[in-house]
Amino acid sequence: MTHNFNFTIALMRLFFMQRYRLWLLIYVAWLTTGISYAQQDFIVTGKVFDVDNKPVAGAKVSIEKSAFTDTDENGYFSIPLSRPIEQQPKEVRVLRRDMRVKDVKYFANTREFRILMENISGFFQGQVISANNEPQQAVDVLVKVGNYSEKVATDAHGFFSARLPENVPLTKDIAFTVSGRRIPPDKIRVFQNAGFVMLRLPRGDTAPRKESEKPEEAVVNVTIYDENYLPIPNLKIKVDGVTYITDKEGKFVIKSSQVDVSKFIIDGYEIAKFDFDEKGNYVFIIVKSEGLREPRIPMRESLDSTIINYRDDFYSIINELELRKQILAEKSNQIRSEMERVADKLNNERDITPAQRENLKKYLKNLEIALIENDVAYENAQQKSQELVQRLRATILEKEGRITTVETQRQITIQILYVVAFVAFVLLLAIIFGYQALRKINQQKKEIERQRDEITQAYNNIKTLSAIGQKITAILDFKKLISTINTNVVSLLDASVFGVGVFNEAEKKIEFMDFIANGKQQSYHSESIEKPSFSGWCLKNRKEVVINDLAVDYAKYLNASSFQVTEDMPKSLLYLPLVREDRAIGVITVQSMKPNAYNEIDRKVLSTLASYISIALDNSNAYEIIRRKNKNITDSIRYAQTIQEAMLPSAAQMQEVFGEYFVVYKPKDIVSGDFYWLDYLKNEERENSSMPILAEKGSKVFFAVVDCTGHGVPGGFMTLIAHQLFNEIISLRKIYDPVMVLEMMDRKLRAILKQQDKVNDDGMDVCLVIMERLENNKLRIVYAGARRPLYFFVAKENKLYFLKGDRASLGGLQRKDYNYSRYEAVLEKGDMIYMFTDGFADQNNLNKQKFGSKTLREMLELHATKPAEQQKSLIEASLDVHMQGTEQRDDITIVGIRV
């Protein structure tokens, strides 16, 4: 702070000198920006989870030397930083006993971290500091417990990582020795749950360094990886004449002045990549075993940068991104298959308990979350591809700018030549030099144009490949998929012939459908894999077939005596196998009438396209299997719907019995858990057969509205049981007391479902009414209800009444008989009777608000005097307005009867 203040005063003294005013303005702008920026916190969030995708709670997290914060029970954390992070951070620390960081991903657009931890028994971390809280870098730490000991070194910030024997806790009783000096217990601070220990040196004591190290010189942490990016332990390295050995994590510490690739010598290996970060003091080296060729020393690259050599590395980077996307797509397919299996178990297995069903639903929800996270990872990989495309576009623009500059220089040189032509002999040498310069510029222009053309072609290929890949992997219909592939691939390659062959395993042949030959779409042909053919060789050996000249190269794959070359055959051919999860799906081929038509770039383009097609064909096959299964299941359920609808009273029966009535019947699924039942005893000496049976004196009508547990197929089976019980008790045994009917149904239902022996809470809610025409032409109703009310509207009073019924369903977990209540009422002509299930009142809208029983009563009372069909239309319209397109949550049944 003092230094900045003095520097500011000095600049203000120079303000009146003209030559320093601009620099003063720049400094003031920088200082103001820095202060305002420092006052704003940069909030980052993230989640810490283990290799089983379970959250890691109670872990301590620090980003870029921030204060540690704890993760919550779901593994989430939030940290305010003093400055923004644009790329992958240089320092992320997570402290948790027996765990260490395996992978860190940072998404700059959402400021979000995903930190993967792995379990390592006995793993812990620590830091060595002086009495003045200064980190001690590049010092040796010896950890000793009994006969076990491990020696490690601290990094540039004094941190170290070590392990303890299994079942040995991290306590002050462990012997810690720093550079040969034992740390007393009172200078050891242990954070047990975090798996972290702080070692403080006694006052006036600092850890000694090696004699060759200068105290003021920083140290650098070096990590050695193999070609698979795995750390190499116990590896000897010579750096500037000094021998080092990597620890278990492939790490060792050197001086910052030694960070030079030319100073590193590793016997038996050559350095493939050398990345370093001068500010963060970290070096990462990737090595590979020495081959026959001479080892080369690569260029030094700054950490977190991507150097793209468009000639050699372009397609390898693209293929790496595409491979990651394919792996993510495969994982999504696996998650969807598991979701289908759980959903199938929920729908089809009847013996699972409610607790098992609830656990399966929770598991299904977790699968949905995993699928979303996996799809987000797929989108991030897709975004990286787009970023690479944008960088290519910028490179192309840069090349075009350089071509323009070269063209300008060329024009200037030509003008100079015109002027020099009129100059005397003494300027002849200048003309010669100008001609040579012009020739060199032309060569540079041609080279730049060639490079630009290569990048443009690569950019267009990647853009087209990405579009084709997105398009074909989204198509599930097989014929449309093949047609789309054929239509789009001709824009990528010189393809006089192009086709996709699908392997028919049953008939042992490869079928080519709608392939392209000489620019025209052909119908169909097949090639047996038992007979010699390029496609059969490719599929059997699962290797690509590359033919640059058919007359010369065919013998590599086919027997010369069984194959003849003719003039009308293509000269160049490429065949690639389509393989998915080690299953042979088919082959893809492009063919040209020109020899040597395909180079390495074309082969890589076709290889990437083959990966997309393999995924698309596999998705198409899976979709066809699911579609057929779904159709079979749906057909079976619709047949069950036909049976259930036949079980319900017909419109003619309802009209014959009641005259004026309406029914609102809306199953949630194809098969309903709601139903209504009708039976009657009519007067055999009816005076007027055109009158409804209910209007005849001496007639009795039995009517019930039932809401069974569940909906869909399970609810449909319950309706069959209830329908049979009504027929048995009322129609056959002629029990006309509604209370006795409900009590007998309750006992029989529990016996049928064996609820005395099993944990089965299935049951049903019932509204049962027996209606009888009296001598005075009035209607007496006797009602009993199991959690279902009866509503009736008295026309003279213009008022709606209701009987609530008993709060006990039929069946369920109750273990003793329930005594239901009987209610009676007398109604007159013009009154209305309403019976319904709870589906209408419980239906929610977009704001999760139910329609409600109170609103339903008010609506029925408002429209009760209207004709029955008009009431039905108004009720259905009110439901549509309330739902506003939301999903129906339960079966809905409302029956209205005019007295």
Side-chain angles (χ1 to χ4, degrees):
M1 177 63 74
T2 303
H3 172 71
N4 289 339
F5 178 79
N6 293 337
F7 185 49
T8 305
I9 294 298
L11 284 175
M12 291 179 65
R13 291 174 178 174
L14 297 173
F15 179 72
F16 295 101
M17 299 176 63
Q18 183 67 29
R19 61 185 297 184
Y20 291 106
R21 288 183 181 178
L22 178 60
W23 292 108
L24 179 60
L25 292 175
I26 294 174
Y27 173 73
V28 172
W30 168 78
L31 187 61
T32 304
T33 304
I35 293 174
S36 62
Y37 195 52
Q39 292 174 349
Q40 298 179 359
D41 286 339
F42 183 81
I43 306 297
V44 296
T45 60
K47 182 178 180 181
V48 181
F49 55 94
D50 60 17
V51 293
D52 296 325
N53 205 28
K54 296 180 180 179
V56 178
K60 296 184 177 296
V61 184
S62 173
I63 309 294
E64 299 287 46
K65 301 181 182 179
S66 69
F68 281 94
T69 186
D70 293 336
T71 59
D72 61 16
E73 60 183 5
N74 295 317
Y76 290 100
F77 65 88
S78 176
I79 298 180
L81 301 179
S82 59
R83 61 184 182 84
I85 304 175
E86 300 300 336
Q87 296 180 343
Q88 192 75 9
K90 298 179 179 64
E91 184 174 316
V92 177
R93 294 196 177 275
V94 183
L95 304 180
R96 190 72 166 87
R97 172 66 172 165
D98 295 334
M99 301 188 80
R100 69 177 180 183
V101 175
K102 184 176 182 181
D103 187 32
V104 177
K105 289 184 174 61
Y106 175 63
F107 305 97
N109 55 342
T110 59
R111 302 181 184 178
E112 188 176 9
F113 282 88
R114 286 289 183 270
I115 302 177
L116 176 63
M117 306 286 289
E118 63 179 346
N119 293 311
I120 297 184
S121 178
F123 179 80
F124 72 96
Q125 302 179 66
Q127 186 181 26
V128 180
I129 59 174
S130 67
N132 297 325
N133 296 322
E134 296 178 354
Q136 301 297 294
Q137 59 182 2
V139 299
D140 293 330
V141 179
L142 177 64
V143 183
K144 188 172 183 181
V145 180
N147 295 328
Y148 174 83
S149 64
E150 181 177 2
K151 188 175 182 180
V152 295
T154 62
D155 62 14
H157 307 296
F159 288 98
F160 66 90
S161 300
R163 295 179 64 178
L164 293 173
E166 191 171 357
N167 299 325
V168 174
L170 181 64
T171 64
K172 294 183 179 181
D173 298 332
I174 298 172
F176 292 98
T177 304
V178 178
S179 295
R181 300 181 182 179
R182 177 72 178 269
I183 304 299
D186 61 334
K187 300 298 182 181
I188 301 174
R189 187 178 180 188
V190 176
F191 302 87
Q192 183 67 38
N193 292 334
F196 188 79
V197 61
M198 181 78 75
L199 305 180
R200 186 186 301 275
L201 300 177
R203 184 169 296 279
D205 198 6
T206 58
R209 297 180 175 87
K210 300 177 183 178
E211 293 182 359
S212 61
E213 286 191 47
K214 298 180 180 179
E216 66 277 4
E217 185 174 7
V219 298
V220 177
N221 293 278
V222 183
T223 306
I224 307 293
Y225 297 92
D226 62 17
E227 295 175 88
N228 297 319
Y229 292 89
L230 297 176
I232 305 177
N234 302 320
L235 180 65
K236 291 185 179 181
I237 305 98
K238 285 187 178 181
V239 183
D240 203 12
V242 180
T243 301
Y244 298 89
I245 301 178
T246 59
D247 61 12
K248 295 180 179 180
E249 305 298 327
K251 298 179 180 179
F252 65 96
V253 180
I254 62 174
K255 295 181 293 183
S256 60
S257 61
Q258 295 175 306
V259 181
D260 190 336
V261 67
S262 62
K263 297 181 179 181
F264 282 71
I265 300 175
I266 308 175
D267 291 338
Y269 292 91
E270 65 177 31
I271 299 176
K273 194 169 185 180
F274 188 90
D275 290 339
F276 68 94
D277 177 14
E278 296 175 352
K279 295 184 179 179
N281 295 318
Y282 291 96
V283 171
F284 301 91
I285 301 176
I286 300 172
V287 300
K288 59 182 180 181
S289 300
E290 289 182 337
L292 298 177
R293 61 186 182 185
E294 291 294 326
R296 60 183 179 87
I297 298 179
M299 295 176 58
R300 301 199 310 181
E301 303 172 7
S302 61
L303 196 62
D304 295 328
S305 69
T306 303
I307 307 300
I308 300 178
N309 183 323
Y310 56 85
R311 295 178 183 174
D312 301 328
D313 298 337
F314 178 76
Y315 278 99
S316 63
I317 294 173
I318 290 301
N319 287 336
E320 182 179 349
L321 289 173
E322 294 303 327
L323 176 61
R324 174 170 174 78
K325 289 161 62 178
Q326 292 172 31
I327 293 173
L328 293 172
E330 290 175 1
K331 185 176 179 182
S332 292
N333 289 335
Q334 294 172 1
I335 295 174
R336 289 188 176 95
S337 298
E338 181 67 6
M339 290 172 66
E340 180 184 358
R341 187 186 68 81
V342 174
D344 185 66
K345 187 176 183 67
L346 283 172
N347 291 333
N348 297 330
E349 295 196 18
R350 307 174 189 170
D351 295 336
I352 58 176
T353 64
Q356 290 173 335
R357 187 181 298 275
E358 188 63 24
N359 289 336
L360 284 174
K361 290 180 179 179
K362 292 179 181 178
Y363 180 43
L364 186 60
K365 185 65 177 178
N366 291 335
L367 287 174
E368 293 175 354
I369 295 174
L371 180 60
I372 292 172
E373 291 181 349
N374 198 70
D375 288 344
V376 169
Y378 181 90
E379 291 299 328
N380 289 336
Q382 185 71 16
Q383 181 180 355
K384 289 183 179 179
S385 297
Q386 296 298 329
E387 290 174 355
L388 182 58
V389 170
Q390 293 298 329
R391 295 186 64 181
L392 286 172
R393 182 184 292 113
T395 305
I396 291 172
L397 294 175
E398 178 186 354
K399 294 294 183 182
E400 289 180 346
R402 291 176 60 185
I403 290 174
T404 302
T405 302
V406 171
E407 182 64 26
T408 302
Q409 294 175 354
R410 180 176 177 275
Q411 295 297 330
I412 293 175
T413 304
I414 291 174
Q415 293 176 6
I416 294 174
L417 288 176
Y418 286 145
V419 174
V420 172
F422 296 98
V423 179
F425 178 76
V426 292
L427 298 179
L428 182 59
L429 292 177
I431 296 174
I432 296 174
F433 288 134
Y435 173 75
Q436 292 177 348
L438 177 61
R439 186 176 179 183
K440 184 177 181 180
I441 290 172
N442 284 330
Q443 292 176 349
Q444 291 177 351
K445 178 185 175 183
K446 290 179 180 179
E447 178 64 19
I448 294 173
E449 287 177 343
R450 186 185 63 80
Q451 294 176 359
R452 182 199 62 183
D453 293 340
E454 288 182 2
I455 296 176
T456 302
Q457 181 185 358
Y459 166 74
N460 291 332
N461 287 346
I462 289 303
K463 185 177 180 181
T464 306
L465 271 176
S466 179
I468 293 175
Q470 293 180 18
K471 184 183 297 183
I472 66 176
T473 52
I475 297 174
L476 298 176
D477 181 73
F478 179 78
K479 290 187 177 180
K480 185 177 180 182
L481 172 63
I482 296 299
S483 176
T484 303
I485 294 171
N486 293 342
T487 304
N488 288 275
V489 77
V490 294
S491 61
L492 287 173
L493 301 167
D494 175 15
S496 301
V497 176
F498 173 78
V500 176
V502 180
F503 179 45
N504 186 334
E505 187 173 3
E507 299 182 13
K508 300 297 182 182
K509 64 182 180 180
I510 302 173
E511 298 178 320
F512 291 87
M513 304 177 185
D514 298 330
F515 65 101
I516 303 297
N518 298 321
K520 296 182 181 180
Q521 191 167 359
Q522 308 298 316
S523 57
Y524 169 87
H525 83 274
S526 63
E527 298 178 0
S528 173
I529 63 171
E530 304 297 336
K531 297 180 180 180
S533 66
F534 294 122
S535 61
W537 189 96
C538 176
L539 188 65
K540 284 182 178 180
N541 295 278
R542 297 192 182 184
K543 295 181 180 179
E544 62 182 16
V545 173
V546 181
I547 295 178
N548 294 315
D549 189 343
L550 183 62
V552 177
D553 297 337
Y554 80 92
K556 298 178 183 178
Y557 310 99
L558 301 179
N559 190 333
S561 61
S562 61
F563 186 81
Q564 293 183 350
V565 179
T566 60
E567 288 297 327
D568 59 342
M569 289 182 175
K571 302 301 184 294
S572 300
L573 301 91
L574 286 180
Y575 282 85
L576 269 74
L578 301 177
V579 180
R580 181 74 168 161
E581 296 178 354
D582 203 33
R583 291 183 293 106
I585 298 176
V587 297
I588 180 175
T589 179
V590 291
Q591 303 173 21
S592 174
M593 302 305 293
K594 304 174 183 178
N596 301 306
Y598 305 118
N599 54 28
E600 185 64 24
I601 293 178
D602 296 326
R603 291 170 59 185
K604 291 181 177 179
V605 168
L606 191 62
S607 176
T608 303
L609 185 61
S611 300
Y612 279 124
I613 295 175
S614 297
I615 295 173
L617 288 176
D618 200 44
N619 291 344
S620 177
N621 292 335
Y623 167 76
E624 182 61 23
I625 293 172
I626 293 172
R627 187 192 65 79
R628 287 199 301 267
K629 288 184 178 180
N630 184 63
K631 183 179 183 301
N632 293 336
I633 294 172
T634 303
D635 290 344
S636 299
I637 295 176
R638 291 201 179 278
Y639 189 76
Q641 178 191 25
T642 303
I643 296 174
Q644 187 179 57
E645 290 177 350
M647 182 182 68
L648 297 175
S650 66
Q653 289 176 308
M654 297 286 286
Q655 182 69 32
E656 180 185 9
V657 174
F658 298 119
E660 185 180 357
Y661 77 98
F662 73 84
V663 176
V664 176
Y665 186 66
K666 294 181 176 292
K668 178 185 183 298
D669 299 317
I670 298 174
V671 180
S672 176
D674 288 2
F675 83 104
Y676 50 97
W677 179 86
L678 171 67
D679 198 1
Y680 55 87
L681 295 174
K682 64 182 178 179
N683 188 351
E684 296 297 336
E685 300 178 357
R686 294 183 63 187
E687 298 177 357
N688 187 355
S689 61
S690 62
M691 293 179 58
I693 293 175
L694 187 61
E696 290 284 346
K697 296 178 182 180
S699 62
K700 286 186 179 181
V701 176
F702 312 95
F703 192 78
V705 172
V706 183
D707 184 357
C708 298
T709 299
H711 42 75
V713 174
F717 276 105
M718 291 294 293
T719 64
L720 293 175
I721 297 174
H723 187 273
Q724 179 61 29
L725 290 177
F726 276 123
N727 288 339
E728 177 186 346
I729 296 172
I730 296 178
S731 302
L732 297 180
R733 301 184 63 175
K734 301 186 182 305
I735 296 175
Y736 300 150
D737 183 355
V739 172
M740 293 180 62
V741 172
L742 293 188
E743 291 175 353
M744 289 184 69
M745 287 185 68
D746 179 41
R747 292 192 296 273
K748 285 182 173 292
L749 184 61
R750 283 186 278 134
I752 291 172
L753 299 179
K754 300 180 181 180
Q755 293 180 329
Q756 299 292 342
D757 304 324
K758 297 182 179 181
V759 181
N760 185 333
D761 61 350
D762 293 336
M764 58 189 69
D765 300 338
V766 180
C767 175
L768 175 60
V769 176
I770 297 178
M771 294 170 272
E772 182 178 6
R773 180 65 62 176
L774 302 178
E775 292 295 331
N776 57 5
N777 206 29
K778 294 185 179 181
L779 185 69
R780 182 168 70 96
I781 59 174
V782 183
Y783 154 75
R787 300 184 67 90
R788 286 287 88 219
L790 173 69
Y791 283 59
F792 56 90
F793 176 78
V794 179
K796 288 183 178 181
E797 301 178 16
N798 197 30
K799 186 175 181 180
L800 184 71
Y801 295 89
F802 71 94
L803 302 174
K804 196 170 186 180
D806 293 288
R807 297 181 59 83
S809 300
L810 304 185
L813 296 178
Q814 57 189 11
R815 291 294 182 264
K816 61 180 181 179
D817 296 340
Y818 187 85
N819 297 320
Y820 291 91
S821 303
R822 177 188 294 102
Y823 300 92
E824 292 189 12
V826 178
L827 302 179
E828 298 182 359
K829 184 177 181 180
D831 295 345
M832 285 290 297
I833 300 172
Y834 297 102
M835 305 166 69
F836 46 82
T837 60
D838 60 357
F840 195 101
D842 289 346
Q843 179 60 47
N844 60 283
N845 60 11
L846 292 174
N847 297 323
K848 306 298 182 182
Q849 296 174 337
K850 296 182 179 180
F851 192 91
S853 299
K854 181 181 178 182
T855 307
L856 178 59
R857 289 197 301 270
E858 292 173 351
M859 181 181 65
L860 293 176
E861 187 175 57
L862 178 63
H863 303 310
T865 59
K866 297 180 175 65
E869 283 300 319
Q870 186 177 357
Q871 291 187 50
K872 176 182 178 180
S873 299
L874 292 170
I875 290 172
E876 291 176 338
S878 298
L879 179 63
D880 292 339
V881 172
H882 173 75
M883 292 177 66
Q884 295 180 348
T886 57
E887 182 181 0
Q888 184 175 331
R889 61 177 296 176
D890 199 1
D891 301 315
I892 294 175
T893 303
I894 299 180
V895 178
I897 302 170
R898 177 80 69 186
V899 176

